[in-house]
Amino acid sequence: MTKKSYQAPATVKVYHGYGHQDNLIVYGHVLAGKPPKASTSNGVLSNIKHLIKVFSVKPIAGVKVRLRWENQFFYSTTAKDGFFKFEWKSTQKITAGWHDVSVDLVNPENKILTTGEGKIFVPEATQYGFISDIDDTVLVSHSASTGKKLRVMFTKNPLSRKTFADVVKFYKLLSLAHTEPRLLNPFFYVSSSEWNLYDDLNVFFKHNQLPKGVFLLNEIKRWYQLLKTGKTKHQGKLIRVARIFEAFPKQRFVLLGDNSQKDPAIYAGIANKYPDRVMAIYIRNVSPKKVGITSSLMKAIKNKAIHTCQFEHTDQAISHAKSIGLIV
């Protein structure tokens, strides 16, 4: 990276992080210029232009970034896709809740060029953690049909995209499960969608009043990969879910997904790897032809104490969660 490149305008995007005092994690990207904000236009042409801009971001590789946390400083270098990750231990005791964090883009002399702000969530060890897919679990996306999926992406913006009926009600109830309103349960949204769509997803979640959470998304794609958005390998998502379990060794989790792609297999694998740490698995049946294989995967889970629920309508999942004492 040349000195001239350091002086060019750039943006440090810091995504919501998570952890506890002995293991804090935050991710982000350094991008050239100023990435486009989430679209709120209903016009097809405007949405297409927005998506092209979102997938035309230019990552900056090999630049130095510095995380500021309380009185601690940590340094890293961006990867070839502009991605950075910080993982550290805090020297000060951390209370449960959301905490601010800053990441600076610095030159070789440690002069700050620009700064990104983010937040980290620290839950109580006694709280449930909820790991949820997004597409076709929360957000109507038609992931199994490329044509339908692209049509929705090109014609809808974050304010006009639809959630499944009662999913907001369900997630709000889960956020309050066995905790207090002042400290809602942590949500981790693990999706095959790319980091390109982070701002759009944030607007969608805020607009629909879904629980605030940590997004763990897929690698940034470029404009020529737009038609392949949301497509990732099974192993990548499995690793991201496993990292959450490793980060919170005392937590028990509830897993939420759908059967349009690989969620049932991923969650069954997680349940067998961490048999005492999964409380329940919820799978939305959006693909009728996959109901049988989904049932087989759930029945094959070794720990029979893990509750499983396949449902077509969210009210079925709510009833099940009430029956097992997860929510009231």
Side-chain angles (χ1 to χ4, degrees):
M1 187 62 59
T2 65
K3 189 173 181 180
K4 182 179 178 181
S5 297
Y6 278 103
Q7 302 307 318
T11 298
V12 179
K13 292 185 70 68
V14 186
Y15 310 122
H16 289 162
Y18 58 92
H20 51 80
Q21 184 169 345
D22 295 327
N23 185 25
L24 295 164
I25 300 169
V26 70
Y27 304 98
H29 279 95
V30 177
L31 305 172
K34 191 174 183 180
K37 294 182 179 180
S39 172
T40 56
S41 171
N42 282 318
V44 175
L45 186 58
S46 295
N47 282 329
I48 292 174
K49 287 181 178 179
H50 170 70
L51 281 174
I52 292 174
K53 288 180 180 178
V54 164
F55 282 87
S56 296
V57 294
K58 296 180 180 179
I60 303 178
V63 292
K64 189 176 179 181
V65 286
R66 180 180 67 186
L67 180 140
R68 287 180 282 152
W69 171 261
E70 302 293 345
N71 60 349
Q72 295 176 269
F73 292 87
F74 302 92
Y75 293 85
S76 187
T77 302
T78 58
K80 63 180 180 179
D81 61 350
F83 186 77
F84 62 81
K85 174 186 177 182
F86 288 99
E87 189 166 0
W88 75 101
K89 178 178 179 179
S90 178
T91 57
Q92 297 185 19
K93 186 176 180 180
I94 308 172
T95 58
W98 288 93
H99 300 268
D100 295 327
V101 65
S102 299
V103 177
D104 304 315
L105 171 63
V106 297
N107 67 11
E109 292 75 38
N110 288 332
K111 178 183 177 181
I112 297 175
L113 302 177
T114 188
T115 299
E117 305 291 341
K119 291 184 179 296
I120 292 180
F121 187 75
V122 177
E124 293 281 8
T126 55
Q127 287 183 283
Y128 282 115
F130 294 88
I131 298 176
S132 174
D133 181 45
I134 298 174
D135 290 313
D136 288 322
T137 299
V138 176
L139 174 65
V140 178
S141 303
H142 307 289
S143 297
S145 171
T146 301
K148 287 184 178 180
K149 179 176 180 177
L150 291 175
R151 185 163 63 248
V152 169
M153 285 184 65
F154 288 141
T155 60
K156 302 290 184 182
N157 66 58
L159 302 184
S160 58
R161 294 289 298 268
K162 302 295 183 183
T163 65
F164 287 91
D166 290 330
V167 75
V168 175
K169 175 184 176 182
F170 185 32
Y171 278 44
K172 284 184 176 180
L173 289 170
L174 293 176
S175 72
L176 288 164
H178 303 278
T179 190
E180 300 174 9
R182 67 173 182 84
L183 188 65
L184 299 177
N185 289 317
F187 271 76
F188 302 88
Y189 299 106
V190 183
S191 173
S192 297
S193 292
E194 296 77 17
W195 287 113
N196 307 65
L197 299 171
Y198 180 80
D199 290 334
D200 283 16
L201 287 171
N202 259 315
V203 170
F204 169 80
F205 272 71
K206 289 178 182 178
H207 176 68
N208 288 283
Q209 298 183 326
L210 283 154
K212 181 179 179 179
V214 175
F215 290 93
L216 295 169
L217 307 180
N218 199 14
E219 292 180 356
I220 276 182
K221 282 190 170 70
R222 303 304 301 276
W223 65 268
Y224 51 84
Q225 299 171 301
L226 178 56
L227 297 182
K228 296 181 180 180
T229 178
K231 294 183 179 180
T232 188
K233 293 182 180 179
H234 166 104
Q235 192 67 18
K237 192 169 183 178
L238 177 62
I239 290 171
R240 277 175 276 163
V241 175
R243 282 175 181 164
I244 299 170
F245 274 75
E246 295 297 332
F248 298 102
K250 298 179 181 180
Q251 229 84 22
R252 294 190 73 201
F253 289 89
V254 174
L255 312 177
L256 304 110
D258 65 86
N259 70 347
S260 67
Q261 296 185 26
K262 299 293 184 179
D263 288 348
I266 291 171
Y267 290 168
I270 288 292
N272 286 331
K273 185 174 182 179
Y274 305 97
D276 299 323
R277 306 212 17 233
V278 177
M279 193 268 190
I281 300 175
Y282 289 88
I283 299 293
R284 183 183 298 279
N285 286 328
V286 295
S287 179
K289 64 181 181 181
K290 294 182 179 179
V291 171
I293 185 64
T294 301
S295 297
S296 297
L297 286 165
M298 294 299 102
K299 290 177 182 177
I301 293 173
K302 295 174 184 177
N303 183 357
K304 303 306 177 184
I306 295 174
H307 302 282
T308 64
C309 175
Q310 290 179 245
F311 63 96
E312 292 183 22
H313 304 289
T314 313
D315 57 357
Q316 297 170 309
I318 293 173
S319 295
H320 178 274
K322 287 180 179 180
S323 72
I324 63 173
L326 178 58
I327 60 176
V328 294

